[in-house]
Amino acid sequence: MKILLTAIAVMSIGAFVFAKQAPSQQPGTKRTELQRHDLDIPGKETIQARIDFDPGAAFGMHTHPGEEIIYVLDGTLEYEVEGKKPVQLKAGDVLFIPTGVKHAARNVGKVKGAELATYVVEKGKPLVVLAK
């Protein structure tokens, strides 16, 4: 009985973690959280993540509950930001996404691409909200 309860608890935790992280992953992409810290500003936190893109992979339109600061690490990534023309960025280029602005990214190169994303967001809200 104890083993069964432990197995159910582990499966429940796994399902919760998957449900919480599922929108952060898209086929051909991998989001790796590097650090997360509360800020001195009440209700705000910063999250830093590396997002890897296979060649041709895309992360569809989405928003964040705060600002995103992007630094392209590898490859050539194209960003579509609501209200602006698409822009292609290469390693060393940067981009700022304001709170709640819809945006998407895709690897337009033939090699893997990667970005370092730093988020300053509302604590406790989902980091990624897929656009409808």
Side-chain angles (χ1 to χ4, degrees):
M1 182 67 161
K2 187 175 182 181
I3 292 172
L4 179 60
L5 290 175
T6 302
I8 292 170
V10 168
M11 288 174 18
S12 296
I13 291 169
F16 173 76
V17 169
F18 177 77
K20 188 173 179 184
Q21 293 178 348
S24 297
Q25 305 293 346
Q26 297 286 304
T29 70
K30 180 182 177 191
R31 181 182 305 271
T32 305
E33 187 173 306
L34 303 172
Q35 61 178 331
R36 179 185 295 249
H37 299 282
D38 290 344
L39 295 175
D40 289 341
I41 303 165
K44 294 283 189 170
E45 69 180 334
T46 185
I47 301 167
Q48 200 165 47
R50 177 185 172 113
I51 297 91
D52 291 283
F53 294 82
D54 289 340
F59 199 104
M61 280 293 199
H62 62 283
T63 63
H64 304 286
E67 291 88 3
E68 179 181 11
I69 300 103
I70 297 168
Y71 178 81
V72 178
L73 297 168
D74 296 308
T76 303
L77 303 176
E78 182 175 87
Y79 294 90
E80 184 181 340
V81 179
E82 185 178 40
K84 296 185 178 185
K85 291 183 179 181
V87 60
Q88 286 189 9
L89 302 178
K90 61 186 183 333
D93 290 338
V94 297
L95 183 65
F96 178 82
I97 308 290
T99 302
V101 172
K102 292 179 187 175
H103 60 287
R106 74 182 172 104
N107 182 350
V108 294
K110 296 182 192 239
V111 299
K112 287 192 173 200
E115 70 174 38
L116 176 66
T118 303
Y119 306 94
V120 178
V121 294
E122 291 183 54
K123 187 177 173 89
K125 290 202 173 181
L127 178 61
V128 177
V129 177
L130 296 177
K132 296 179 182 179

